[in-house]
Amino acid sequence: DTAVSQTPKYLVTQMGNDKSIKCEQNLGHDTMYWYKQDSKKFLKIMFSYNNKELIINETVPNRFSPKSPDKAHLNLHINSLELGDSAVYFCASRRTGGAEQYFGPGTRLTVT
Amino acid sequence: QQQVKQSPQSLIVQKGGISIINCAYENTAFDYFPWYQQFPGKGPALLIAIRPDVSEKKEGRFTISFNKSAKQFSLHIMDSQPGDSATYFCAAIQEGSQGNLIFGKGTKLSVKP
């Protein structure tokens, strides 16, 4: 059983397109995150959701819009993709108040 | 106050050697300090963690040393193996809070055979 899953694993698309990445966790956690990892491996938090409510939006362009249909899912929609959006995007989850955080396997987005 | 500073950025160690990665934090409210290990093409995975009531925690070849007064903690990998080659992230959080894990910038470890 995969605790945090993401689809797709790879996404290649052209500039200007709109794309979505899906995330699901089966851990019963109520806080979910999106991180962006660039080529230097920095893990940059983008969004934090708690019980389907947005908690953090770390100066992310409004082309990025997270959507949480329920506590187990946090999807990331990206409009008008740019070359600089190329990165690996990780979903993660944590029980609010807990310490351990679990990451998904990542989605490698390549914008050409 | 929210930063976690990690060094070195990259590390090359011979097989059998000791790998040491250091982190320093500023926020004295942090009370949980995990280390994450990330292999190429994979997501970060929790490796080992410590709370400040102890100065050392050991799990197999991996040891965390914690210095509360200096606000520093480090990861030691004994008898380093090529399979340990990965990127390591330290992190910190105030457990029980609404806050989020604060990550260091990562250390890429290469263990040469």
Side-chain angles (χ1 to χ4, degrees), chain B residues 72-88:
Chain B
Q72 295 175 347
F73 58 111
S74 59
L75 177 69
H76 297 235
I77 306 174
M78 312 300 287
D79 187 26
S80 298
Q81 298 296 313
D84 297 330
S85 297
T87 300
Y88 293 81

Side-chain angles (χ1 to χ4, degrees), chain A residues 85-97:
Chain A
D85 298 332
S86 295
V88 181
Y89 292 84
F90 288 101
C91 178
S93 74
R94 181 171 70 95
R95 177 181 59 83
T96 301

